[in-house]
Amino acid sequence: MSLIITIAIGFGTATLLWLFFRPPFGKNIVHLNTDKRIVALTYDDGPSPPYTDQLLDVLAKHNVKATFFMIGNRIEKHPETVNRVIAEGHQIGNHTYSHPVLGFLPPFSVRRQIERTDDLLQRHGIAKDSVFRAPMLTRFLPVAYVLAKQDRVHISGDVWSWDWTTQNPDKITETVLRKTLSSTGTGAGSIIVMHDGKAENKNANRSGTIEATDRIITALKQDGYQFVRLSDVSNPCTVGF
């Protein structure tokens, strides 16, 4: 009997952990729904001058639009950079107010983190239901619950640059290009996750990401890829749990 109880407890614990870390409800976007050579560049943790501005210069040089997931307290400190991102035609999304690990907060705190940044974005003319990405892409149970109640999707990605671990432009470029091509065999519809800031260090150097972005765009354009904002694709994304 004790063996049965032990197995039952183990199974129950595993089920609860699975439900917490991979909630089987809500919409989690990992990939653009297309078979064309289209990819989306996304950047987290800004705005972060001077690096966001330097990144905007690179994007303008290539005539490429991107999506920026911004932290609320950074929006408050750098409204001029937010305005430039908007003026140059890029998309802005919500990346919480202070970049906590949302999955370990109660639902009311998750909701407050999202709503505070929604309010700030609205002051810049961004719709309240703008795209949302959790810090560190942790769509754990409390996050999935709050977003589902709001009928709101979570934007993840299928190509992680790992530029939060290195600012070596060679490594970032190689990682993104390799994963973009291997994600579907053609790279069609990849959502690339990069960073123009760093949550725990507002002064973090992002020059490697900027240089890598220049190289990535050049290489993918030579292979016939186009770059889009998330909002540019109707019925935009493949949905997974």
Side-chain angles (χ1 to χ4, degrees):
M1 183 65 69
S2 60
L3 177 60
I4 295 175
I5 293 174
T6 300
I7 293 173
I9 291 173
F11 178 79
T13 301
T15 300
L16 290 174
L17 288 172
W18 184 85
L19 288 172
F20 182 81
F21 288 105
R22 292 184 64 84
F25 59 86
K27 297 177 181 179
N28 185 41
I29 306 306
V30 298
H31 196 270
L32 299 177
N33 186 19
T34 180
D35 57 2
K36 297 179 180 179
R37 288 196 168 194
I38 292 173
V39 297
L41 286 173
T42 67
Y43 295 89
D44 294 359
D45 293 3
S48 183
Y51 302 109
T52 303
D53 298 282
Q54 294 170 10
L55 178 59
L56 289 170
D57 291 341
V58 170
L59 295 172
K61 180 180 79 170
H62 291 283
N63 192 27
V64 162
K65 305 303 180 188
T67 302
F68 291 81
F69 288 92
M70 295 187 174
I71 300 173
N73 57 26
R74 302 275 176 85
I75 293 171
E76 289 177 325
K77 293 178 181 177
H78 306 293
E80 69 289 342
T81 306
V82 180
N83 289 335
R84 181 183 171 189
V85 172
I86 295 169
E88 296 189 9
H90 303 284
Q91 184 178 3
I92 294 180
N94 184 324
H95 199 45
T96 73
Y97 180 78
S98 61
H99 202 275
V101 181
L102 290 183
F104 299 112
L105 297 180
F108 73 87
S109 295
V110 173
R111 185 167 55 250
R112 181 57 178 156
Q113 281 281 333
I114 296 171
E115 289 176 348
R116 288 184 73 179
T117 300
D118 276 345
D119 291 342
L120 290 167
L121 290 175
Q122 281 188 287
R123 297 175 196 174
H124 288 273
I126 307 298
K128 186 174 182 179
D129 58 350
S130 63
V131 290
F132 175 79
R133 173 179 285 163
M136 294 169 278
L137 285 77
T138 52
R139 194 189 71 96
F140 298 158
L141 185 61
V143 181
Y145 172 78
V146 170
L147 294 177
K149 293 284 285 185
Q150 298 177 353
D151 193 26
R152 193 167 181 173
V153 302
H154 177 261
I155 305 295
S156 185
D158 61 331
V159 176
W160 293 27
S161 66
W162 292 93
D163 66 340
W164 59 94
T165 65
T166 179
Q167 279 297 291
N168 182 322
D170 295 331
K171 290 183 178 180
I172 298 170
T173 302
E174 190 276 332
T175 297
V176 169
L177 294 179
R178 172 172 47 81
K179 291 186 176 182
T180 298
L181 293 174
S182 65
S183 62
T184 63
T186 64
S190 288
I191 298 176
I192 300 169
V193 181
M194 303 181 77
H195 295 75
D196 59 324
K198 188 173 183 179
E200 61 272 24
N201 182 358
K202 65 182 180 180
N203 298 315
N205 188 315
R206 283 290 177 253
S207 57
T209 295
I210 295 163
E211 174 62 28
T213 294
D214 192 19
R215 298 181 189 181
I216 290 163
I217 293 174
T218 299
L220 290 178
K221 276 194 168 185
Q222 287 175 347
D223 278 345
Y225 288 86
Q226 294 180 311
F227 295 82
V228 297
R229 302 166 299 183
L230 297 173
S231 59
D232 290 329
V233 183
S234 59
N235 187 25
C237 304
T238 300
V239 176
F241 294 120

